[in-house]
Amino acid sequence: MTTPRRPAPAASPAPAFAPDAAHVTDHLLVSGVRKSFGATEVLKGVDLTVAQGRTTAIVGASGSGKTTLLRLIAGFEAPDAGSVALDGVEVAGPSAWLPAHKRSIGYVAQDGALFPHLSVGQNIEFGLPVRGRAAASRVAELLEMVSMDPAYAKRRPSQLSGGQQQRVALARALARQPELMLLDEPFSALDAGLRVATRRAVSKTLSDAGVTTILVTHDQAEALSFADQVAVMRDGRLAQIGSPFVVYTRPSDRATAEFLGDAVILEAWMEGSLALCSLGGIPVRRPSVQGRVHLMLRPEQIRIAEGGNIHGRVVDTDYFGPETTVRIQLAPIAVDPSEPVDPHQPVGGEVISIRHWNAMLARPGTQLSLKVVGEGVVFPWDG
Amino acid sequence: MSIPTSTTAERKPRSNNLRNAGGGRGTRSGPWPVVVLCTLIAAFSLLPLGYVATMTANAGWDTIEKLVFRPRVGELLFNTVALVVITVPLCVVIGIAGAWLVERTRLRGHKAWAVLLAAPLAIPAFVNSYAWVSAIPSLGGVFGGVLISTLSYFPLVYIPVAAVLSRMDPALEQSGSSLGLGPWKVFFRVVLPQLRLAAAGGALLVSLHLLAEYGAFAMIQFDTFTTAIYDQFRSTFNGAAANMLASVLVLFCLLLLLGESKTRGNARYARVGSGVQANPPRLPMGRLEIPGQLGLAALTVLALGVPLFHVVRWLIVGGPGIWTGSALATALLQTLGYGLAGALVTTALAFPLAFLAVRHPGPVTKLLEGANYISSSMPGIVVALALVTISIHNVPAVYQTAVVLVAAYALLFMPRALVNLRAGLAQAPKELDEAAQALGKPPLVAFLKVTLRLTAPAAAGGAALVFLGIVNELTATLLLAPNGTQTLATEFWSLSSEIDYTGAAPYALLMILLSAPMTYLLFAQSKKAAGQ
Amino acid sequence: MKTWFNKTVLSRTALTAIAGVSVLALAACSGGTAPAASEGASGSATDAITVYNAQHESLTQSWVDAFTKETGIKVTLRNGDDSELSNQIIAEGAKSPADVFLTENSPAMTQVENAGLFTGIDAKIQSQVPAEYRPSTNKWTGIAARSTVFAYNKSKLTQAQLPKSIMDLASPEWKGRWAASPSGADFQAIVSAMLELKGEDATLSWLKSMKENSKAYKGNSTAMKAVNAGEVDGAIIYHYYWFGDQAATGENSNNVALHYFKNQDPGAFVSISGGGVLASSKHQANAEKFLEFITGKAGQTILQTGTSFEYPVASDVAANSKLVPLKDLQAPKVDAAKLNSQKVTDLMTEAGLL
């Protein structure tokens, strides 16, 4: 209520230069963006860079602010502070404001938001500058682009399945050939089987079209599989930005680690590049702390192995068909009686969950040998 | 004849909490021009209440004492209370029993009965009264008032209750049965409590109609506050006595609103989810088949048969002569003109309120809606009295023009438009507007092409109900109509007051013919809202 | 907040749309309902006039039809009751759209006269109407007259059982046996005569007994219909309701006979219907023409020959031959200028009749 409306910038947001395939430019630049609704600060200073033609997933729990960030980028909301720039042109900031319909964006909402009073074809034509035959052929082309039969153009949105609706919504958003595609939880309303197929189809279409894409989701698997870059949002801030592999295997903090997937967290003692825990000494790359720490491993790093040097007893199992979650009681950390004992050192003996394909192998009470592959990540001890 | 919002289909918001958070503060109270506009509309709708309050305050205690605390007011109070206390429970019992029979039993012909039980709404109460006076000339007193108003208004309970019954989740009843309750116990302990909201809403509407009705009671010499205010008006234009009676009547209405909200407690009117697949079980009637059929037949004969028979009888007695002359055509044209203008203006005024209510729910919106809710419960006579006085003293330019009458119609019938528009706007979520903007349409174009377009059918439905209200409106029209205005209702009234029953019959017939499609629309709408 | 930029534009559209629709709707509406819209400056001979009419709509309509046919001047009627319209004219004051005011009874005329809103009648009207049927002030004129009667059910009452005076109806033996239409101006005029003849205390006590004894109906026709049906023995109404119904079908009056109180009884009151031209009228000339027409030969003959059965009072036109001649009614002498409608309403309110 404080800021008066802002004059639209004289220049259009069209790119100042043609992006060169070899030269990856920053298509979107979000810097220092803050946004409050009433007394609630939803975004507390967000910086994000998205490269031309790449796909970024913003992932976070409900209420973390990820949808607000997307709406700011789209132009449905304006930031209280900070700025948003597209292709180097500021579209929202202290001295600029470009409303949504003037930004070169495509937007696909959670349920597709197809206009119920228009047919599929009319929905797609809605954003087209052309009419008539040209539009009709473009509609057919776009439907094919999202792997749908052009005959669907005559149908009503209500006659489509959820996945088809989402694909039409994508075709509609693509019709204007936007430079930036914004997807707001587009797959969450679909059931599991359809979700994967639709996600794959959408992903392929977008990468074929070479459109810069931002996907907002609360589903970490979706984020990891869909994007080139994952930005983890927590409590109004981006906790970590990186490639899916990096954020999954080397999360910046414990909350991120646990949000992005199952994590085995053990008490450990960090000395040099080795973390001492119930699983023995685990190598850690560039540890940030020493002494008492939490060690994080992904469950798939812990394997049942004949002759492994770690021992545990199966507590119970959960059978999921293709794999079984096995809960294992680890032996306490072996202590050399001749060494003096540091009172802060962990004692070990935790129960951990790992996964295994063979349900028959692990009956409760069975003694197992384990081994650890790869490196662990450590976080400061927080009690 | 608006129906409580319990019959309104409102889609559950599909969006998660986050999206609501995204609605944000700027949007939480709404864009300021809309808020300002709505505040103006709400202030306008509080005019009658303000008028009565001011008049009462200005009258001074002596006048109040002299004009309010007197035996005549006692009589009116007795009559009015007796009317409400007897009629409302009767309407509730008949409405629920009827709804249960047509929705939950295997009574033969229940589909036809379902329509027939809603049909009495198409017969204006004062036409009903005219027919009954033709049948029993000595009809009058509390008995007459109760008889006519019960037969005219029970559908106001029946329609919403039937809608709830038809969409009620059968699982609840099944769990009742599985806990060992017999069918009757299930009805009383499981079904009936779920009907409470719809029945209370219907009962409130019946009560408000009872307080506001003039013609039906005047015709049978049954005096209520409204008829007494009108008598005072005819003797003194806008004297203090009329104003004092109006303030007592207003107090009465406010008490009813309070009572209804207490009944409702914290519960909101149930919203209809889109996903509920209702296929309620129907009980076999067995030995009750014949009493059930007879009961419904008797009700239909009394509520529908008697008025139709007498209107037709007077038409036959009158012969072709009663159709000649231009008065009938003039009245029909003016009624249509006012109906259309009133429906358009009312819908247009209701739109911003509905828009705020759906898109920006919050304390401001609640307040504005509350103001509208209270004002809409003001009887036509009070609204008319207020507008006559205000226009004559403060806005002489519009005095005795169509503007004032249309304004009165807007005040009286806004809720009908509002309820429908709210449901319509709920079908046009903000996301669709945003999708259009993201497709390059400026907000203005997006709004017109998407929100307005999607709301149009609901707006038309609401406008039709407002139209229905205007066609049958008598009191405010009598007081406010411009010189030379004749509507079907006023002409019918003028002729039947001079006991020219044959001359009045064509007007009665036209009002019924105009009302019938709207009543059917209302009935169909409640069924649709219930997901059938 | 910048979001509001969008919302502002959006809501402006909504506003514009709403304003547009309202204007259109009202235009459509007033097109059909404001015949007085053509009102210009005062003057042209065919300028329409507005008549606030408390007389029976059918009677005034016959006057209007004949008048318009003769002069080409169009007339718009606003129908209402005596006191409703008199109070309305007073409330409207100088802004009143009324050019002419017609009543059934004189108290409402007196009320408007006392408010100083009549312009007075011209010499032509004065020459047409005998002095006894117009006030000495000449601010308005009588246009017709009607007599109070006790309409009774022939099978319920014999001649001998009839009340000798209207005042007798206050006695307990009449409890529950008679009817009236206390909310109507007709009855209120009768009470005003009683007030003038018997004083305030006697009138109030009579009204209080009436509250006990009588049944209230809305309208004289309805009261007569009740008498006819035997719901009550008799009713205080005006004479012409009976004659009107007899001339039509008689279905509401065949069991009814009329009893005239005579003897200068308050119940023998003959009420003068009045007509006057408003000082605020912008069409004085046409308004006077209308009043001249009503009190002239043609207008009064409509009373003689039409279905109203009211008494003519001017231009030497005799009453319908079916009626008891005016001079045989032995009506009490009451100065029309002294009839006080406000006081009557107050007394009736006090008695609980209103």
Side-chain angles (χ1 to χ4, degrees):
Chain A
M1 259 171 271
T2 51
T3 320
R5 67 176 127 116
R6 298 174 180 186
S12 87
F17 56 91
D20 157 358
H23 177 83
V24 177
T25 57
D26 290 344
H27 187 176
L28 170 73
L29 184 64
V30 174
S31 39
V33 159
R34 291 175 173 274
K35 178 74 179 173
S36 297
F37 295 118
T40 318
E41 191 170 27
V42 179
L43 295 179
K44 301 171 180 170
V46 173
D47 299 286
L48 176 68
T49 311
V50 178
Q52 180 71 49
R54 309 303 286 273
T55 301
T56 297
I58 301 171
V59 63
S62 287
S64 60
K66 55 190 190 303
T67 292
T68 303
L69 178 59
L70 194 75
R71 293 172 55 79
L72 281 164
I73 297 169
F76 299 137
E77 305 277 358
D80 298 338
S83 64
V84 179
L86 289 171
D87 284 319
V89 177
E90 192 170 294
V91 293
S95 58
W97 172 248
L98 200 64
H101 67 279
K102 292 187 177 160
R103 299 184 187 184
S104 180
I105 50 157
Y107 180 77
V108 177
Q110 190 172 339
D111 53 8
L114 295 183
F115 305 126
H117 59 299
L118 301 178
S119 70
V120 165
Q122 288 166 325
N123 258 285
I124 295 173
E125 274 177 45
F126 193 90
L128 280 180
V130 291
R131 286 280 174 273
R133 192 168 300 170
S137 72
R138 179 87 177 111
V139 166
E141 195 181 308
L142 283 160
L143 280 173
E144 273 169 0
M145 197 186 280
V146 295
S147 320
M148 285 179 74
D149 190 319
Y152 277 95
K154 290 206 170 55
R155 296 214 187 168
R156 292 266 147 193
S158 56
Q159 295 170 299
L160 303 182
S161 72
Q164 287 169 331
Q165 287 187 17
Q166 286 306 72
R167 280 186 278 162
V168 173
L170 182 69
R172 184 179 69 176
L174 283 169
R176 283 211 314 155
Q177 293 180 295
E179 291 165 29
L180 179 61
M181 181 64 73
L182 305 172
L183 309 175
D184 184 6
E185 304 256 9
F187 313 117
S188 65
L190 309 180
D191 55 42
L194 199 55
R195 193 183 308 157
V196 174
T198 309
R199 185 199 300 161
R200 192 165 292 145
V202 168
S203 172
K204 183 174 183 314
T205 308
L206 287 170
S207 67
D208 288 354
V211 183
T212 312
T213 302
I214 298 179
L215 167 78
V216 155
T217 178
H218 64 272
D219 179 341
Q220 38 82 21
E222 186 169 294
L224 295 172
S225 65
F226 193 84
D228 307 318
Q229 171 179 268
V230 173
V232 182
M233 190 128 208
R234 195 165 59 246
D235 195 21
R237 292 189 175 87
L238 288 178
Q240 190 175 8
I241 306 172
S243 73
F245 178 78
V246 168
V247 294
Y248 182 73
T249 57
R250 295 204 289 277
S252 58
D253 52 40
R254 183 174 170 176
T256 304
E258 289 180 323
F259 181 77
L260 287 177
D262 293 338
V264 174
I265 306 281
L266 296 171
E267 297 176 15
W269 187 260
M270 193 71 217
E271 275 183 10
S273 62
L274 219 56
L276 183 67
C277 63
S278 309
L279 296 170
I282 307 296
V284 175
R285 180 141 70 132
R286 290 202 287 270
S288 53
V289 280
Q290 293 287 316
R292 197 169 195 189
V293 293
H294 291 292
L295 171 74
M296 193 283 299
L297 292 165
R298 294 294 178 191
E300 58 272 19
Q301 286 180 272
I302 304 168
R303 297 183 183 162
I304 297 170
E306 290 278 339
N309 55 352
I310 308 156
H311 302 287
R313 183 178 53 85
V314 176
V315 179
D316 54 22
T317 60
D318 287 323
Y319 178 64
F320 291 110
E323 63 174 30
T324 300
T325 297
V326 185
R327 302 209 315 137
I328 299 168
Q329 169 82 59
L330 297 175
I333 297 170
V335 179
D336 184 344
S338 63
E339 295 276 316
V341 178
D342 186 320
H344 297 297
Q345 276 201 2
V347 293
E350 298 99 330
V351 174
I352 61 169
S353 292
I354 66 164
R355 299 193 190 108
H356 197 264
W357 56 269
N358 185 352
M360 308 314 285
L361 184 85
R363 292 181 181 281
T366 313
Q367 290 288 338
L368 290 176
S369 303
L370 305 169
K371 69 170 185 183
V372 176
V373 295
E375 297 168 330
V377 178
V378 291
F379 308 122
W381 181 258
D382 59 9
Chain B
M1 266 169 251
S2 51
I3 288 297
T5 44
S6 61
T7 59
T8 304
E10 284 186 40
R11 190 162 52 162
K12 277 181 189 158
R14 295 162 302 184
S15 37
N16 54 27
N17 299 336
L18 246 203
R19 198 176 296 265
N20 291 343
R25 181 168 116 201
T27 48
R28 201 162 285 161
S29 52
W32 68 264
V34 179
V35 174
V36 168
L37 185 67
C38 290
T39 311
L40 287 177
I41 296 170
F44 164 66
S45 68
L46 285 177
L47 273 184
L49 193 64
Y51 166 79
V52 169
T54 313
M55 283 298 168
T56 313
N58 288 349
W61 180 247
D62 285 352
T63 316
I64 296 175
E65 200 176 2
K66 197 165 127 247
L67 291 173
V68 173
F69 298 98
R70 59 190 180 107
R72 173 68 172 159
V73 176
E75 268 170 49
L76 297 174
L77 202 61
F78 174 82
N79 277 358
T80 310
V81 169
L83 180 72
V84 170
V85 165
I86 302 172
T87 308
V88 171
L90 271 176
C91 285
V92 168
V93 169
I94 294 175
I96 292 181
W100 183 78
L101 279 174
V102 301
E103 294 296 341
R104 286 309 179 85
T105 68
R106 291 185 205 147
L107 191 77
R108 277 159 204 247
H110 57 77
K111 279 197 174 136
W113 284 124
V115 179
L116 282 174
L117 288 187
L121 269 191
I123 295 168
F126 57 127
V127 172
N128 205 0
S129 201
Y130 153 90
W132 275 95
V133 162
S134 308
I136 311 172
S138 63
L139 190 70
V142 175
F143 173 78
V146 167
L147 174 76
I148 284 166
S149 44
T150 303
L151 293 176
S152 293
Y153 298 138
F154 79 86
L156 294 175
V157 177
Y158 159 77
I159 291 181
V161 168
V164 171
L165 269 179
S166 69
R167 65 145 189 262
M168 197 180 280
D169 190 349
L172 289 170
E173 283 161 80
Q174 284 153 9
S175 21
S177 307
S178 72
L179 292 170
L181 301 183
W184 287 105
K185 281 195 169 166
V186 166
F187 178 75
F188 281 103
R189 291 183 52 187
V190 180
V191 178
L192 211 51
Q194 294 188 72
L195 300 179
R196 196 189 58 179
L197 291 182
L204 176 71
L205 274 178
V206 172
S207 326
L208 292 175
H209 275 80
L210 291 176
L211 294 186
E213 180 58 42
Y214 168 69
F217 299 143
M219 195 139 359
I220 56 165
Q221 337 297 339
F222 177 58
D223 282 339
T224 66
F225 275 105
T226 293
T227 65
I229 294 170
Y230 191 69
D231 286 349
Q232 278 285 354
F233 180 83
R234 297 215 307 167
S235 305
T236 62
F237 192 54
N238 58 349
N243 288 323
M244 288 307 111
L245 289 178
S247 68
V248 178
L249 179 58
V250 164
L251 207 63
F252 221 109
C253 292
L254 295 180
L255 279 176
L256 277 177
L257 289 184
L258 200 70
E260 193 262 356
S261 71
K262 283 260 187 284
T263 317
R264 197 158 33 122
N266 286 327
R268 295 271 118 218
Y269 283 124
R271 288 183 169 190
V272 186
S274 52
V276 181
Q277 259 304 340
N279 198 4
R282 287 182 180 273
L283 291 176
M285 284 298 279
R287 279 177 304 157
L288 292 174
E289 175 79 25
I290 289 169
Q293 294 285 357
L294 287 179
L296 292 184
L299 186 61
T300 308
V301 165
L302 294 178
L304 215 53
V306 170
L308 291 180
F309 172 79
H310 283 283
V311 169
V312 171
R313 183 170 74 88
W314 287 121
L315 286 173
I316 294 170
V317 170
I322 53 176
W323 295 93
T324 56
S326 62
L328 190 66
T330 310
L332 179 62
L333 278 179
Q334 295 207 345
T335 304
L336 289 174
Y338 274 106
L340 289 174
L344 274 174
V345 170
T346 308
T347 309
L349 287 178
F351 194 89
L353 281 177
F355 183 82
L356 269 198
V358 173
R359 292 280 175 92
H360 310 281
V364 179
T365 316
K366 273 232 174 76
L367 206 68
L368 294 177
E369 275 200 304
N372 191 265
Y373 181 56
I374 291 174
S375 69
S376 67
S377 70
M378 298 291 113
I381 186 88
V382 175
V383 170
L385 216 49
L387 291 189
V388 159
T389 313
I390 292 170
S391 66
I392 208 169
H393 292 302
N394 307 97
V395 216
V398 297
Y399 175 66
Q400 277 194 5
T401 62
V403 175
V404 179
L405 186 55
V406 170
Y409 290 149
L411 283 179
L412 289 170
F413 302 122
M414 181 106 60
R416 302 179 182 209
L418 208 51
V419 163
N420 278 271
L421 280 172
R422 284 186 57 142
L425 274 166
Q427 302 295 334
K430 186 178 73 172
E431 285 80 356
L432 293 179
D433 247 19
E434 288 175 352
Q437 288 176 42
L439 292 169
K441 304 292 180 207
L444 170 72
V445 178
F447 178 79
L448 289 176
K449 288 186 94 159
V450 179
T451 301
L452 218 51
R453 168 64 188 77
L454 284 173
T455 319
L465 293 181
V466 174
F467 180 84
L468 170 69
I470 293 174
V471 166
N472 300 328
E473 211 290 330
L474 178 64
T475 345
T477 313
L478 283 174
L479 265 65
L480 295 174
N483 293 330
T485 300
Q486 296 164 331
T487 67
L488 293 175
T490 62
E491 280 304 282
F492 170 80
W493 182 245
S494 150
L495 289 164
S496 57
S497 303
E498 301 210 5
I499 51 175
D500 183 357
Y501 285 177
T502 53
Y507 295 92
L509 180 72
L510 283 178
M511 278 188 281
I512 294 173
L513 289 181
L514 281 178
S515 304
M518 311 293 170
T519 304
Y520 186 77
L521 181 86
L522 186 71
F523 173 76
Q525 214 178 35
S526 78
K527 293 285 156 184
K528 206 168 98 188
Q532 286 199 339
Chain C
M1 251 180 235
K2 267 163 292 181
T3 3
W4 288 22
F5 172 72
N6 293 346
K7 302 284 176 188
T8 311
V9 176
L10 175 149
S11 49
R12 230 177 252 151
T13 326
L15 257 169
T16 317
I18 288 158
V21 169
S22 321
V23 166
L24 276 177
L26 285 179
C29 201
S30 53
T33 53
S38 60
E39 262 180 300
S42 69
S44 121
T46 52
D47 262 0
I49 56 169
T50 299
V51 173
Y52 273 29
N53 173 47
Q55 255 295 351
H56 284 262
E57 205 179 324
S58 48
L59 170 61
T60 307
Q61 195 61 55
S62 339
W63 276 332
V64 165
D65 291 344
F67 174 69
T68 305
K69 199 172 166 192
E70 188 181 296
T71 62
I73 300 169
K74 291 216 165 57
V75 178
T76 303
L77 292 184
R78 179 176 193 84
N79 297 306
D81 272 23
D82 284 8
S83 318
E84 172 190 352
L85 292 178
S86 62
N87 282 298
Q88 184 164 7
I89 287 171
I90 291 167
E92 289 166 358
K95 289 170 290 199
S96 178
D99 297 304
V100 175
F101 181 33
L102 301 182
T103 63
E104 295 195 291
N105 305 285
S106 32
M109 297 305 289
T110 309
Q111 195 192 356
V112 175
E113 178 184 345
N114 291 342
L117 296 175
F118 281 134
T119 177
I121 51 170
D122 60 17
K124 177 155 189 225
I125 296 173
Q126 290 183 31
S127 72
Q128 287 179 166
V129 184
E132 54 185 306
Y133 296 123
R134 52 185 158 86
S136 51
T137 54
N138 281 328
K139 282 292 178 188
W140 51 276
T141 177
I143 55 170
R146 61 268 299 283
S147 172
T148 312
V149 294
F150 183 69
Y152 64 98
N153 186 304
K154 286 182 283 188
S155 57
K156 292 222 165 187
L157 291 177
T158 64
Q159 292 278 350
Q161 291 168 315
L162 292 170
K164 297 285 170 287
S165 161
I166 192 172
M167 305 310 280
D168 296 349
L169 293 172
S171 67
E173 58 181 284
W174 282 98
K175 190 171 171 63
R177 292 171 58 199
W178 67 284
S181 170
S183 60
D186 290 355
F187 187 79
Q188 291 172 13
I190 298 169
V191 178
S192 72
M194 185 186 290
L195 177 66
E196 181 59 22
L197 294 164
K198 299 281 176 182
E200 186 175 332
D201 293 346
T203 305
L204 181 58
S205 105
W206 187 86
L207 287 170
K208 284 181 172 164
S209 320
M210 172 186 172
K211 172 74 185 168
E212 286 297 305
N213 285 358
S214 72
K215 278 195 185 177
Y217 286 85
K218 299 220 187 305
N220 285 326
S221 328
T222 331
M224 181 177 71
K225 186 166 172 266
V227 173
N228 190 59
E231 291 169 39
V232 284
D233 295 354
I236 293 291
I237 58 171
Y238 282 146
H239 73 281
Y240 58 87
Y241 290 95
W242 186 83
F243 289 99
D245 195 67
Q246 284 291 303
T249 60
E251 77 177 306
N252 296 309
S253 62
N254 279 340
N255 304 326
V256 178
L258 298 186
H259 167 54
Y260 294 85
F261 288 105
K262 303 193 175 174
N263 291 322
Q264 282 77 40
D265 189 75
F269 172 63
V270 168
S271 184
I272 306 294
S273 304
V277 174
L278 276 302
S280 58
S281 165
K282 292 190 178 67
H283 315 100
Q284 297 276 355
N286 287 353
E288 273 169 14
K289 263 189 215 162
F290 183 64
L291 215 51
E292 282 165 15
F293 176 83
I294 289 179
T295 53
K297 201 101 196 161
Q300 293 291 300
T301 306
I302 287 175
L303 289 171
Q304 181 193 48
T305 57
T307 54
S308 73
F309 294 97
E310 296 189 41
Y311 288 100
V313 294
S315 298
D316 298 321
V317 176
N320 187 305
S321 56
K322 288 179 185 153
L323 304 185
V324 181
L326 251 187
K327 56 180 176 298
D328 296 348
L329 291 175
Q330 298 170 21
K333 284 263 175 295
V334 180
D335 183 354
K338 287 190 177 160
L339 298 180
N340 187 334
S341 58
Q342 180 61 48
K343 188 76 199 165
V344 166
T345 315
D346 289 349
L347 288 176
M348 290 180 72
T349 302
E350 195 179 335
L353 289 160
L354 284 178

